[in-house]
Amino acid sequence: MLNPISPTPAVSAHTLGPALRYVLAALACGLTTVLTMPLHDWLEPVNAVMLFLLTVVMTATWLGRGPAVMASFLSVGLFDFFYVPPRFSFAVSDIQYLLTFMVMLTVALLIGHLTNAMRQRAEEAQQAAQRSEALHQLARQLAGALTVDQVIADVETFLTQQLQAKLRLWLPDEHEQLHLACGHTSQVSYLLRLADSITRGPERAHRMADENGHHLLLPLIGSTRRRGVMAVTVDSGTALTQHAGLLEGLASLATTALERLHFVDVAYRSELAVHNERLRNSILSALSHDIRTPLTSLVGMAETLAMQPETRTGVAHDLAEDLRDQALRLHRMVNNLLDMARLQSRQQQGGLPLKREWQPIEEVIGASIQLLGSALAGHPIRTHLPADLPLVQLDAVLMERVFGNLLENAIKYAPAHAAIDIHVQSQDDLLHVYVHNEGDGFPPDRLTSVFELFERGHPESAVPGMGLGLAIARLIVDAHGGQIEAINPPEGGATVHFHLPLGTPPEIEPEAEVRA
């Protein structure tokens, strides 16, 4: 816990009432007179003046400015009454004593003023040192804070103990909207509006006063963004002016602590996400590898069963073909799982390795259509390829996988016997590819999320799938330096568009003519 400021050395000036302090000043002057009266016969008047001035200095040191002023006048009067002839009267026989009185009063007032000022400076220095030590102690506590609530509690305790001030703290949410995290909720609407303007305006503090006190609003400016706004409320506006530097230092410490907790949370979440991703990829890879072998055997047995003479016709033949088709579909799913795990693992190890070669895109498209084979039955593929398409530097094997996944996805959601269109064009140093079907289109609120792992356009759809095809396509396109997106064109249907950088293809020398 933070330690409050201890009382200042001038105990009487802060703990005694005003009347008692003046009484003590009068008693001090009287005591000086009583102690010096027996020494009157051999004590010079100038030495008596020094003793009275010493009394004024002590009064200013221990009792403050007002009692010191009273002691100055009282010392002059007592000196006149008891030491200046004729004694025991205020009459002055020698006019020179008037000059003595004036000099004595001036010196007493001046000494009292300087002594009181010195005392105040000493008190302020001690308070500053104590607050500085408390601020260092707060810094050590905030450095070990584990939660935002702990940071708020430490700052609030510091303000209460050191300045008797109240704290209001607004912190932003994930949408950058300020919410009150600490402080009274009543009568803060205007402060919230001012705090919101501070977060959006120049980086400076704001002061204001109302019937509830004097407020100082300080923005908590972090290294990357603003972490909130701190409002300090005190009863006196002078306190805000005197402790402006202290409050700015406190705001800086709070900002550092909040930002540290934010980055710790980000690092923890990132580490947890990487750990989960690695674990998921390991599980997917292990399962896919273990399932692949029995699936391959199942496909082979289904094809063998369908070719047997006794099952070439009839219900047994249809069942054998259905078994083979379902086994092939499950085999493709397992391949997708295994490929996704492998691609993500390579990406986490420093990037997806690509075997780039300059290829004509029409050959890549043709190879993809040929690999799909019977899966395209009932859905004609219409390609729209300009004759002057340039070469593209890409990994042909991976890009064939992109086209294969996009075509399979288009077939799943296209009406029966509907055509699938592939449009290719070059524009602005980019090769644009559009794969379009005539289905119902993507849900408008899932145009981005369909490319996430295990995400589907229609989560509850009866169409088979695991949500891997588009995720694999995006991973490969990103590795080639391109971008991919889902579009619902105005004419209807669904379109997946991606583009690849063209670069500068090598020049192809024309073949020499062969003469007969």
Side-chain angles (χ1 to χ4, degrees):
M1 294 296 294
L2 296 172
N3 296 321
I5 294 178
S6 59
T8 60
V11 177
S12 58
H14 289 271
T15 61
L16 301 178
L20 182 57
R21 287 189 282 126
Y22 282 95
V23 170
L24 291 176
L27 290 176
C29 293
L31 181 62
T32 302
T33 304
V34 171
L35 292 177
T36 57
M37 280 296 293
L39 306 176
H40 174 267
D41 293 335
W42 60 273
L43 187 65
E44 293 292 335
V46 65
N47 294 327
V49 170
M50 294 297 103
L51 293 176
F52 279 107
L53 290 179
L54 178 61
T55 302
V56 173
V57 170
M58 295 177 63
T59 301
T61 302
W62 296 103
L63 300 178
R65 184 188 304 275
V69 172
M70 188 197 73
S72 299
F73 283 97
L74 190 58
S75 296
V76 173
L78 291 173
F79 177 75
D80 179 24
F81 189 81
F82 288 101
Y83 286 91
V84 176
R87 296 177 63 192
F88 307 111
S89 71
F90 291 103
V92 180
S93 60
D94 191 346
I95 195 67
Q96 293 184 359
Y97 280 108
L98 294 178
L99 179 61
T100 302
F101 296 155
M102 294 177 60
V103 173
M104 180 180 175
L105 180 61
T106 302
V107 172
L109 292 175
L110 181 60
I111 289 178
H113 171 74
L114 295 177
T115 304
N116 184 73
M118 186 181 300
R119 178 184 59 81
Q120 290 182 346
R121 296 295 182 272
E123 293 175 6
E124 293 173 357
Q126 183 179 6
Q127 290 179 353
Q130 290 170 339
R131 289 198 174 103
S132 178
E133 175 60 27
L135 198 63
H136 282 87
Q137 183 180 351
L138 176 64
R140 291 192 294 269
Q141 287 183 315
L142 294 181
L146 300 178
T147 64
V148 174
D149 291 338
Q150 187 176 350
V151 172
I152 295 174
D154 289 341
V155 174
E156 191 172 22
T157 301
F158 177 87
L159 286 173
T160 302
Q161 294 181 347
Q162 305 301 327
L163 300 178
Q164 292 74 49
K166 298 178 181 178
L167 172 68
R168 287 188 178 93
L169 187 64
W170 290 273
L171 300 178
D173 57 14
E174 62 274 10
H175 304 293
E176 297 298 325
Q177 297 296 321
L178 293 179
H179 295 278
L180 186 65
C182 172
H184 300 286
T185 58
S186 59
Q187 300 178 344
V188 295
S189 58
Y190 58 95
L191 290 177
L192 175 59
R193 290 193 296 269
L194 183 56
D196 187 66
S197 67
I198 290 176
T199 59
R200 304 178 189 277
E203 299 179 357
R204 55 190 178 90
H206 289 260
R207 290 184 58 179
M208 65 174 297
D210 57 16
E211 65 277 5
N212 298 316
H214 296 262
H215 311 283
L216 177 64
L217 280 76
L218 296 160
L220 305 181
I221 305 170
S223 59
T224 56
R225 65 183 180 93
R226 303 199 178 194
R227 300 295 170 184
V229 177
M230 183 178 73
V232 179
T233 302
V234 295
D235 296 332
S236 171
T238 306
L240 289 181
T241 304
Q242 293 178 345
H243 306 300
L246 177 69
L247 294 176
E248 290 178 358
L250 178 62
S252 178
L253 288 178
T255 303
T256 302
L258 293 174
E259 193 164 48
R260 178 183 61 82
L261 290 177
H262 169 74
F263 286 131
V264 167
D265 182 65
V266 170
Y268 173 75
R269 292 178 182 272
S270 300
E271 183 179 359
L272 185 62
V274 171
H275 176 74
N276 291 340
E277 192 66 25
R278 288 176 178 172
L279 180 61
R280 181 173 61 179
N281 290 340
S282 299
I283 294 175
L284 290 178
S285 179
L287 289 177
S288 301
H289 184 272
D290 292 341
I291 295 175
R292 219 173 182 183
T293 300
L295 275 178
T296 303
S297 301
L298 183 61
V299 172
M301 288 186 291
E303 290 181 345
T304 303
L305 182 62
M307 295 174 61
Q308 295 298 319
E310 58 272 16
T311 59
R312 288 185 179 180
T313 60
V315 177
H317 178 75
D318 295 337
L319 290 175
E321 287 189 341
D322 289 341
L323 178 61
R324 180 197 59 194
D325 294 340
Q326 294 299 323
L328 288 174
R329 185 171 68 85
L330 186 57
H331 190 268
R332 287 194 295 269
M333 290 183 181
V334 172
N335 284 340
N336 280 336
L337 283 172
L338 189 59
D339 290 344
M340 192 68 197
R342 184 176 65 252
L343 293 175
Q344 285 190 333
S345 177
R346 291 180 180 177
Q347 188 182 41
Q348 292 172 358
Q349 294 173 0
L352 191 63
L354 300 177
K355 297 180 180 179
R356 291 176 178 265
E357 294 181 353
W358 292 99
Q359 300 279 351
I361 195 65
E362 51 266 33
E363 291 188 5
V364 177
I365 296 174
S368 303
I369 296 175
Q370 186 176 6
L371 285 174
L372 289 176
S374 60
L376 298 176
H379 293 278
I381 305 299
R382 299 183 301 199
T383 58
H384 307 270
L385 307 174
D388 57 346
L389 284 176
L391 298 178
V392 186
Q393 191 179 29
L394 47 78
D395 188 319
V397 175
L398 292 179
M399 197 53 60
E400 288 174 7
R401 187 60 183 275
V402 171
F403 280 103
N405 288 352
L406 296 184
L407 290 174
E408 284 185 344
N409 192 74
I411 292 170
K412 289 179 183 178
Y413 296 97
H417 308 294
I420 308 299
D421 294 290
I422 301 177
H423 297 263
V424 182
Q425 63 182 20
S426 60
Q427 183 181 1
D428 300 331
D429 297 328
L430 295 174
L431 183 74
H432 295 269
V433 179
Y434 302 85
V435 179
H436 174 77
N437 66 15
E438 298 177 359
D440 296 331
F442 297 99
D445 59 338
R446 301 181 65 83
L447 291 177
T448 304
S449 61
V450 292
F451 293 99
E452 300 294 335
L453 195 61
F454 300 115
E455 291 288 340
R456 305 183 62 194
H458 300 275
E460 304 300 328
S461 174
V463 178
M466 300 178 62
L468 292 175
L470 294 181
I472 293 175
R474 185 181 68 171
L475 194 63
I476 297 174
V477 171
D478 289 346
H480 281 80
Q483 293 182 357
I484 190 169
E485 61 179 343
I487 303 173
N488 288 328
E491 62 272 15
T495 300
V496 176
H497 161 243
F498 71 89
H499 63 74
L500 302 173
L502 285 175
T504 304
E507 296 183 359
I508 301 177
E509 297 181 0
E511 296 182 359
E513 295 184 0
V514 180
R515 295 184 179 181

